Amino acid sequence: MAEITLNVRQLQAFAEVGYEVAGGGGAHGAMTALRRVVPLDAYEFVAFDPATGRHQSVVSDGHARIDGDAAEEYTGLDAYRRALTTRAPVPMPEPGTERYFRRHLAPYGWRAGLTAPLFLTEGRYTGLLHLAARERFPERTGELVSAVTPMLAHVTDLTRCVIDPVGLPSGFHAVAFDRVGTRRSVPGAGVSATLMEEPALAVLARAFIDSRELSRHGLWIDGDGGWHELRLVRAGVGFQGSVQGAVVAERPCALPYDLTGREVDVLTRVAAGDSNPQIAAALVLSVRTVTTHLEHIFAKLGCDSRTRLTTKALSEGLCRLDI
């Protein structure tokens, strides 16, 4: 049996340095460092997605094959629940894990397994790390792996999986979406309760994802009558930003240029190319009232033509975005 001579404090410092040095290497860089002190032959990171409540395999090495249902199957074992309670690695095979071991490890030549729950330093659970070896693990392996799990937990942190939301200014609260409507938080931006509670927002995000637009900017009024500046930008979501998605961001605002809500509605129709009669019909107004609103809008925005008015409205995000 292999001997481990490095103490826990030294290993924790070493693993942290290894993780930082790895940088873009991420999981593989961190595990390369860990392999220098723990004799393991294969590993698999399983991420917990709080947006769906499910687990999924995201990174592995040394496995000839990973069964698609293995991640969820493990979470049905008593060993999984014990690991979450104790926050300590669980060895395999042991009572309650024999069937799982025979199905997912033994066929590929592994004689020992170890599964560690991954919790960030602040206590948030992000997933699991499965280790496998052709020989039994040394006695202190579980203790040593526990020491590095707070660093390794970042590998499976799917709440911070939004990549490069280009063009998002500071000061916005935001939510990220994929095409199927899964909501996720956005690093560096506070979570918007207003957007989280808006059921139709996923439809708007999907339409934006399917469009050719790089960004969209406008005004939105919530159910309580409050106005918000709303921005949509493209971003990668999912593990390592592999899924096409969108970030929807908002911040409360006063209507610019002293515009009224009705004037914003009229301006939005003008920017869409509607004539005065069309605007009147859509907003259930008289043509004369529409003309009066337009006179006020031209004066407030300092424009002398519909073309210039449209250009200014679109470039400054003065149109209303309906959700």
Side-chain angles (χ1 to χ4, degrees), residues 195 198-208 213 216-223 226-232 248 261-262 264-270 272 274 282-283 317-323:
L195 297 182
E198 176 51 62
L201 193 64
V203 177
L204 177 68
R206 177 170 182 170
F208 174 72
E213 297 174 79
R216 191 180 297 178
H217 182 199
L219 300 168
W220 170 60
I221 187 170
D222 62 32
W227 285 94
H228 302 258
E229 181 182 356
L230 201 67
R231 290 178 181 262
L232 288 83
V248 183
R262 181 55 78 187
V264 169
D265 292 337
V266 171
L267 178 56
T268 301
R269 292 287 175 175
V270 170
D274 289 356
L283 300 180
L318 305 179
C319 296
R320 180 170 174 171
L321 298 180
D322 289 324
I323 297 179

Coordinates of all heavy atoms in Angstrom, one line a residue, residues 195 198-208 213 216-223 226-232 248 261-262 264-270 272 274 282-283 317-323:
L195 N -36.9 40.7 -11.7 CA -36.8 39.8 -12.9 C -37.1 38.4 -12.6 O -37.7 37.6 -13.4 CB -35.4 40.0 -13.6 CG -35.1 41.4 -14.1 CD1 -33.7 41.3 -14.8 CD2 -36.1 41.9 -15.1
E198 N -40.8 37.6 -12.7 CA -41.5 37.9 -13.9 C -41.5 36.6 -14.8 O -40.5 36.3 -15.4 CB -40.8 39.0 -14.7 CG -41.5 39.4 -16.0 CD -43.0 39.6 -15.9 OE1 -43.4 40.5 -15.2 OE2 -43.7 38.8 -16.6
P199 N -42.7 35.9 -14.9 CA -42.7 34.7 -15.6 C -42.5 34.8 -17.1 O -42.0 33.9 -17.8 CB -44.1 34.1 -15.3 CG -44.9 35.4 -15.0 CD -44.0 36.3 -14.3
A200 N -42.9 36.0 -17.7 CA -42.8 36.1 -19.2 C -41.3 36.5 -19.6 O -41.1 36.5 -20.8 CB -43.7 37.2 -19.6
L201 N -40.4 36.7 -18.7 CA -39.1 37.1 -19.0 C -38.3 36.1 -19.8 O -37.6 36.4 -20.7 CB -38.3 37.5 -17.8 CG -37.0 38.3 -18.0 CD1 -37.3 39.6 -18.7 CD2 -36.3 38.5 -16.7
A202 N -38.6 34.8 -19.5 CA -37.9 33.7 -20.3 C -38.2 33.7 -21.8 O -37.4 33.4 -22.6 CB -38.2 32.4 -19.7
V203 N -39.5 34.1 -22.1 CA -39.9 34.2 -23.5 C -39.1 35.3 -24.2 O -38.7 35.1 -25.3 CB -41.4 34.4 -23.6 CG1 -41.9 34.6 -25.0 CG2 -42.2 33.3 -22.9
L204 N -39.0 36.5 -23.5 CA -38.3 37.6 -24.1 C -36.8 37.2 -24.3 O -36.2 37.5 -25.4 CB -38.3 38.8 -23.2 CG -37.5 40.0 -23.6 CD1 -38.1 40.6 -24.8 CD2 -37.5 41.1 -22.5
A205 N -36.2 36.5 -23.3 CA -34.8 36.1 -23.4 C -34.6 35.1 -24.6 O -33.7 35.2 -25.4 CB -34.4 35.4 -22.1
R206 N -35.6 34.2 -24.7 CA -35.4 33.2 -25.8 C -35.5 33.8 -27.2 O -34.8 33.5 -28.1 CB -36.5 32.1 -25.7 CG -36.4 31.1 -26.8 CD -37.3 29.9 -26.6 NE -37.2 28.9 -27.7 CZ -37.7 27.7 -27.7 NH1 -38.3 27.3 -26.6 NH2 -37.6 26.9 -28.7
A207 N -36.5 34.8 -27.3 CA -36.6 35.5 -28.6 C -35.3 36.3 -28.9 O -34.9 36.3 -30.1 CB -37.8 36.4 -28.5
F208 N -34.7 36.8 -27.9 CA -33.4 37.6 -28.1 C -32.3 36.6 -28.5 O -31.5 36.9 -29.4 CB -33.1 38.3 -26.8 CG -31.7 39.0 -26.8 CD1 -31.5 40.1 -27.6 CD2 -30.7 38.4 -26.1 CE1 -30.3 40.7 -27.7 CE2 -29.4 39.0 -26.2 CZ -29.2 40.2 -26.9
E213 N -29.5 39.9 -32.9 CA -29.1 41.1 -32.1 C -27.9 40.7 -31.2 O -27.9 39.6 -30.6 CB -30.2 41.7 -31.4 CG -31.4 42.2 -32.2 CD -32.5 42.6 -31.3 OE1 -32.5 43.7 -30.8 OE2 -33.5 41.8 -31.2
R216 N -29.8 44.5 -26.7 CA -31.1 45.2 -26.8 C -31.2 46.1 -25.5 O -30.8 45.7 -24.4 CB -32.2 44.2 -26.8 CG -33.6 44.9 -27.2 CD -34.7 43.8 -27.3 NE -34.4 42.8 -28.3 CZ -35.3 41.8 -28.5 NH1 -36.3 41.6 -27.7 NH2 -35.0 40.9 -29.5
H217 N -31.7 47.3 -25.7 CA -31.7 48.3 -24.6 C -33.0 49.1 -24.7 O -33.4 49.5 -25.8 CB -30.5 49.3 -24.8 CG -30.4 50.3 -23.8 ND1 -29.6 51.5 -24.0 CD2 -30.9 50.4 -22.5 CE1 -29.7 52.2 -22.9 NE2 -30.4 51.6 -22.0
G218 N -33.7 49.2 -23.6 CA -35.0 49.9 -23.6 C -35.5 50.1 -22.2 O -34.8 49.9 -21.2
L219 N -36.8 50.5 -22.1 CA -37.5 50.8 -20.9 C -38.6 49.7 -20.6 O -39.2 49.2 -21.6 CB -38.1 52.2 -20.9 CG -37.1 53.3 -21.2 CD1 -37.9 54.6 -21.5 CD2 -36.2 53.5 -19.9
W220 N -38.8 49.4 -19.4 CA -39.8 48.4 -19.0 C -40.5 48.9 -17.8 O -39.9 49.5 -16.8 CB -39.1 47.1 -18.8 CG -40.0 46.1 -18.1 CD1 -41.2 45.6 -18.7 CD2 -39.8 45.4 -16.9 NE1 -41.7 44.6 -17.8 CE2 -40.9 44.5 -16.7 CE3 -38.8 45.5 -15.9 CZ2 -41.1 43.7 -15.6 CZ3 -39.0 44.6 -14.8 CH2 -40.1 43.8 -14.6
I221 N -41.8 48.7 -17.7 CA -42.6 49.1 -16.5 C -43.1 47.8 -15.9 O -43.6 46.9 -16.5 CB -43.8 50.0 -16.9 CG1 -44.5 50.5 -15.7 CG2 -44.8 49.3 -17.9 CD1 -45.6 51.6 -15.9
D222 N -42.8 47.7 -14.6 CA -43.2 46.5 -13.8 C -44.7 46.6 -13.4 O -45.4 47.5 -13.7 CB -42.3 46.3 -12.6 CG -42.4 47.4 -11.6 OD1 -43.5 48.0 -11.5 OD2 -41.4 47.7 -10.9
G223 N -45.1 45.5 -12.8 CA -46.5 45.4 -12.4 C -47.0 46.4 -11.4 O -48.2 46.7 -11.3
G226 N -43.6 50.8 -11.7 CA -42.2 51.4 -11.6 C -41.5 51.2 -12.9 O -41.5 50.1 -13.5
W227 N -40.7 52.2 -13.4 CA -40.0 52.1 -14.6 C -38.5 51.6 -14.3 O -38.0 51.9 -13.3 CB -39.9 53.4 -15.3 CG -41.2 53.8 -16.0 CD1 -42.2 54.6 -15.4 CD2 -41.6 53.4 -17.3 NE1 -43.2 54.7 -16.3 CE2 -42.9 54.0 -17.5 CE3 -41.1 52.7 -18.3 CZ2 -43.7 53.8 -18.6 CZ3 -41.8 52.5 -19.5 CH2 -43.1 53.0 -19.6
H228 N -38.1 50.8 -15.3 CA -36.7 50.2 -15.2 C -36.0 50.4 -16.5 O -36.6 50.3 -17.6 CB -36.8 48.7 -14.9 CG -37.5 48.4 -13.6 ND1 -36.9 48.1 -12.4 CD2 -38.8 48.4 -13.3 CE1 -37.8 47.9 -11.5 NE2 -39.0 48.0 -12.0
E229 N -34.7 50.6 -16.5 CA -33.9 50.5 -17.6 C -33.5 49.0 -17.8 O -33.1 48.4 -16.9 CB -32.6 51.3 -17.5 CG -31.7 51.3 -18.7 CD -30.4 52.1 -18.4 OE1 -30.2 52.7 -17.4 OE2 -29.5 52.0 -19.3
L230 N -33.8 48.5 -19.0 CA -33.6 47.1 -19.2 C -32.6 46.9 -20.4 O -32.6 47.5 -21.4 CB -34.9 46.5 -19.7 CG -35.1 45.0 -19.5 CD1 -35.1 44.6 -18.0 CD2 -36.4 44.5 -20.1
R231 N -31.7 45.9 -20.1 CA -30.7 45.6 -21.1 C -30.6 44.1 -21.3 O -30.6 43.3 -20.3 CB -29.3 46.1 -20.7 CG -29.1 47.6 -20.8 CD -27.7 48.1 -20.3 NE -27.6 49.5 -20.3 CZ -27.0 50.2 -21.3 NH1 -26.5 49.6 -22.4 NH2 -26.9 51.5 -21.2
L232 N -30.5 43.6 -22.5 CA -30.2 42.2 -22.9 C -28.9 42.1 -23.6 O -28.7 42.9 -24.6 CB -31.4 41.6 -23.7 CG -32.7 41.4 -23.0 CD1 -33.5 42.7 -23.0 CD2 -33.5 40.3 -23.8
V248 N -30.2 39.2 -18.8 CA -31.2 40.3 -18.8 C -31.0 41.1 -17.5 O -31.0 40.5 -16.4 CB -32.7 39.7 -18.8 CG1 -33.7 40.9 -18.8 CG2 -32.9 38.8 -20.0
G261 N -45.2 58.3 -19.5 CA -45.4 57.0 -19.9 C -46.1 56.9 -21.3 O -45.7 56.1 -22.2
R262 N -47.1 57.7 -21.5 CA -47.8 57.7 -22.8 C -46.9 58.2 -23.9 O -46.9 57.7 -25.0 CB -49.0 58.6 -22.7 CG -49.9 58.7 -24.0 CD -50.2 57.3 -24.5 NE -51.3 56.7 -23.7 CZ -51.8 55.5 -23.8 NH1 -51.2 54.6 -24.6 NH2 -52.8 55.0 -23.1
V264 N -43.7 57.7 -24.0 CA -42.8 56.6 -24.3 C -43.5 55.6 -25.2 O -42.9 55.1 -26.2 CB -42.4 55.9 -23.0 CG1 -41.7 54.6 -23.3 CG2 -41.4 56.8 -22.2
D265 N -44.8 55.4 -25.0 CA -45.6 54.5 -25.9 C -45.6 55.0 -27.3 O -45.4 54.3 -28.3 CB -47.0 54.3 -25.4 CG -47.0 53.6 -24.0 OD1 -46.1 52.8 -23.8 OD2 -48.0 53.7 -23.3
V266 N -45.8 56.3 -27.5 CA -45.9 56.9 -28.8 C -44.5 56.9 -29.5 O -44.4 56.5 -30.6 CB -46.4 58.4 -28.7 CG1 -46.3 59.1 -30.1 CG2 -47.9 58.4 -28.2
L267 N -43.5 57.2 -28.7 CA -42.1 57.2 -29.3 C -41.8 55.8 -29.7 O -41.1 55.6 -30.8 CB -41.2 57.6 -28.2 CG -39.7 57.6 -28.5 CD1 -39.4 58.5 -29.8 CD2 -38.9 58.2 -27.4
T268 N -42.2 54.8 -29.0 CA -41.9 53.4 -29.3 C -42.5 53.0 -30.7 O -41.9 52.3 -31.5 CB -42.4 52.4 -28.2 OG1 -41.7 52.7 -27.0 CG2 -42.1 51.0 -28.6
R269 N -43.7 53.5 -30.9 CA -44.4 53.2 -32.1 C -43.8 54.0 -33.3 O -43.7 53.4 -34.4 CB -45.9 53.6 -32.0 CG -46.7 52.8 -31.0 CD -47.0 51.4 -31.6 NE -47.7 50.5 -30.7 CZ -48.1 49.3 -31.0 NH1 -48.0 48.9 -32.3 NH2 -48.7 48.5 -30.1
V270 N -43.3 55.2 -33.0 CA -42.6 55.9 -34.1 C -41.4 55.2 -34.5 O -41.1 55.0 -35.7 CB -42.3 57.3 -33.6 CG1 -41.4 58.0 -34.6 CG2 -43.6 58.2 -33.4
A272 N -40.8 52.1 -34.4 CA -41.2 50.9 -35.1 C -41.7 51.2 -36.5 O -41.9 50.3 -37.3 CB -42.3 50.2 -34.4
D274 N -44.4 53.2 -37.4 CA -45.9 53.4 -37.5 C -46.2 54.8 -37.9 O -45.5 55.8 -37.4 CB -46.6 53.0 -36.2 CG -46.6 51.6 -35.9 OD1 -46.2 50.8 -36.8 OD2 -47.1 51.2 -34.9
A282 N -53.4 51.7 -32.4 CA -52.8 50.8 -31.5 C -53.0 51.2 -30.1 O -53.1 50.4 -29.2 CB -51.3 50.7 -31.9
L283 N -52.9 52.6 -29.8 CA -53.0 53.1 -28.4 C -54.3 53.5 -28.0 O -54.5 54.1 -26.9 CB -51.9 54.2 -28.3 CG -50.5 53.8 -28.5 CD1 -49.6 55.0 -28.3 CD2 -50.0 52.7 -27.6
G317 N -31.9 53.8 -26.0 CA -32.8 52.9 -25.3 C -34.0 53.6 -24.7 O -34.4 53.3 -23.6
L318 N -34.7 54.4 -25.5 CA -35.8 55.2 -25.0 C -37.2 54.5 -25.3 O -38.2 55.0 -24.9 CB -35.8 56.6 -25.6 CG -34.6 57.4 -25.4 CD1 -34.7 58.8 -26.1 CD2 -34.3 57.6 -23.9
C319 N -37.1 53.4 -26.1 CA -38.3 52.7 -26.4 C -38.7 51.7 -25.3 O -37.9 51.2 -24.6 CB -38.1 51.9 -27.8 SG -37.8 53.0 -29.2
R320 N -40.0 51.4 -25.3 CA -40.5 50.5 -24.3 C -40.3 49.0 -24.8 O -40.7 48.7 -25.9 CB -42.0 50.8 -24.1 CG -42.6 49.8 -23.0 CD -44.0 50.3 -22.7 NE -44.7 49.4 -21.8 CZ -45.9 49.7 -21.2 NH1 -46.4 50.9 -21.4 NH2 -46.5 48.9 -20.4
L321 N -39.8 48.2 -23.9 CA -39.7 46.7 -24.2 C -40.8 46.0 -23.5 O -40.9 46.0 -22.2 CB -38.3 46.2 -23.7 CG -37.1 46.8 -24.4 CD1 -35.8 46.2 -23.8 CD2 -37.1 46.6 -25.9
D322 N -41.7 45.4 -24.2 CA -42.8 44.7 -23.6 C -42.4 43.3 -23.2 O -41.7 42.6 -24.0 CB -44.0 44.7 -24.5 CG -44.6 46.1 -24.7 OD1 -44.7 46.8 -23.7 OD2 -45.1 46.4 -25.8
I323 N -42.8 42.9 -22.0 CA -42.5 41.5 -21.6 C -43.9 40.8 -21.5 O -44.8 41.3 -20.8 CB -41.8 41.5 -20.2 CG1 -40.5 42.2 -20.3 CG2 -41.7 40.1 -19.7 CD1 -39.7 42.3 -19.1

